[in-house]
Amino acid sequence: MDLDCLTLGEPLICFDSMGEPLDSTATVRKYVAGAESNFAIGLARLGHAVGYVGRVGADSCGREIVRTLRGEGVDVTGLTATDAAPTAILLKECLGSGRVEVTYHRAASAGSTLDVSDLPEDFDGIRRLHVSGITLVLSPSARDATLAAMRRARAAGARVSLDANFRLKLAPVSVLVEQFERAATLADEVLIGRSEAALCAGSDDDVAVEGYVRSLAVGIAVLKGRRGGATAFSDEGRLEVPARPVDVVDPVGAGDAFAVGFLHAMLAGEALPDALESGGAVAARVITRHGDYHGLPYADEFSPTAQLEMAVRR
Ligand code: KDG
């Protein structure tokens, strides 16, 4: 299997009430969601060979997910349908001023039955693995599959990135932190949001939060801020890119978008400052549109000049 990147996780179908409270609208927008599927779509749009490993139900939502990912150019060989459980569903209400309420219907879902048997035996030909903290807390079998994938990828010489992606509705903070820290020991790059790092540090103080991220024993640790802003810690020292002046329409998907831009640049062999700029530009673009992945750019929209244009577009 020759891939620039493999990812694994649980894809969902999202019902989005598009800025209205869900109980006062008759119309919702339906689309594919899931941090890792957003990520896979983004990398594929930028021209990378990306594969997705996971499970959906043998139902209409599962079919829509497979069709959408395939249509976006993602290799779905590793995305299988099971009739043992339904595809997970997500209700999303954007309530204005950046406030988003998410309700999951994903307990005992098809995606959470992911296990090590879903993984490719052989990671040869796979340049990178990208995983997120969501999969680490979906179920014990999904966690084991994630950790096994990280170990196999490392053993085959692939780079491994981990996005913390804490979901407070999926597990208690102590479990999110414990699983993240365990997985971080197997990662080359870690991406973590400011509020997630504050939970890990047990403090909202900037010095404590940065101290925590710095203390993660990984090659590159990126602390993601708002509107595409980020700070990276590596043996090159501390590097910071500022937030972009964009109007936020829907903040969901910003972290996945940052990972897309950042790892797109890393795959292209770009230097860390450029990778941070690239991550910030993609994140800033995605939050100006409704939907979790809809604002992700295609390769022809993403030259270095277009990056600047995207960053300032309102
Ligand atoms: O990162 C965006 C995700 O939050 C969304 O697409 C759904 O994966 C999801 C989740 O668990 O929240």
Side-chain angles (χ1 to χ4, degrees), residues 12 33-35 38 90 104 106 134 165 167 170 252-253 256 292:
L12 308 93
N38 298 335
L90 168 69
Y104 291 131
R106 74 194 302 183
I134 299 174
N165 260 335
R167 295 292 180 267
L170 284 184
V252 178
D256 310 331
D292 294 14

Side-chain angles (χ1 to χ4, degrees), residues 225-242:
R226 289 179 188 280
R227 296 182 169 89
T231 311
F233 304 91
S234 71
D235 52 14
E236 292 174 43
R238 180 185 186 281
L239 278 167
E240 188 172 350
V241 292

Side-chain angles (χ1 to χ4, degrees), residues 43 51 81 84-85 123 129 136 150-151 156 161 189 191 202 207 241-242 270 274 276 292 314:
L43 267 198
F123 275 68
L129 174 77
L136 289 169
M150 295 175 92
R151 290 194 190 96
S161 45
E189 295 98 9
L191 308 174
V207 177
V241 292
E270 289 179 24
D274 297 329
L276 287 181
D292 294 14
R314 283 168 172 268

